[in-house]
Amino acid sequence: QVQLVESGGGLVQPGDSLRLSCAASGRTFNTYTMAWFRQAPGKEREFVAAIMWSGDSTDYYRNSLKGRFTISRDNAKNTVHLQMNRLKPEDTARYYCAAAEGYGYDVAGAYQHWGPGTQVTVSS
């Protein structure tokens, strides 16, 4: 089973940047897609970005986040990152790393493994 641990969250001001990291361990060879989701209190968990774990490194983004967020992978370190730029208060949420054994894309239910999350708070 894949284990995921997120890091890099924190309290920042609007316009600041953060780089989240997700360290994966365990049975990663059956992983096809890695993704980031986020969830704010009282709201549904929503898709942020996804990337193919190996081979084709095609990445996907929530439309509203394109241009500000960038997902990347480092297979040698079993790590995925989420670079978040020009953060806005509405980006405040707990961010979760997820791994799918298939093509997960933007559907939370398609991901089998989840990390405990890391909190991102954007406030002035």
Side-chain angles (χ1 to χ4, degrees), residues 23-79:
S25 61
R27 193 184 172 103
T28 60
F29 49 84
N30 279 338
T31 298
Y32 291 89
T33 314
M34 297 289 290
W36 290 94
F37 288 79
R38 67 185 185 184
Q39 187 168 27
K43 296 186 177 181
E44 296 290 323
R45 183 167 298 190
E46 65 180 19
F47 172 75
V48 174
I51 190 169
M52 300 300 293
W53 180 245
S54 62
D56 194 331
S57 60
T58 302
D59 51 3
Y60 313 90
Y61 299 92
R62 186 178 187 85
N63 287 337
S64 61
L65 301 178
K66 290 181 178 179
R68 292 198 299 119
F69 287 18
T70 302
I71 189 170
S72 61
R73 74 185 193 194
D74 186 341
N75 292 88
K77 297 181 179 180
N78 280 346
T79 303

Side-chain angles (χ1 to χ4, degrees), residues 73-107:
R73 74 185 193 194
D74 186 341
N75 292 88
K77 297 181 179 180
N78 280 346
T79 303
V80 295
H81 303 280
L82 182 69
Q83 179 66 43
M84 306 185 294
N85 298 325
R86 303 189 305 281
L87 285 162
K88 305 175 180 179
E90 52 262 44
D91 294 320
T92 296
R94 191 165 187 85
Y95 284 70
Y96 298 90
C97 180
E101 296 178 357
Y103 179 57
Y105 189 46
D106 61 347
V107 181

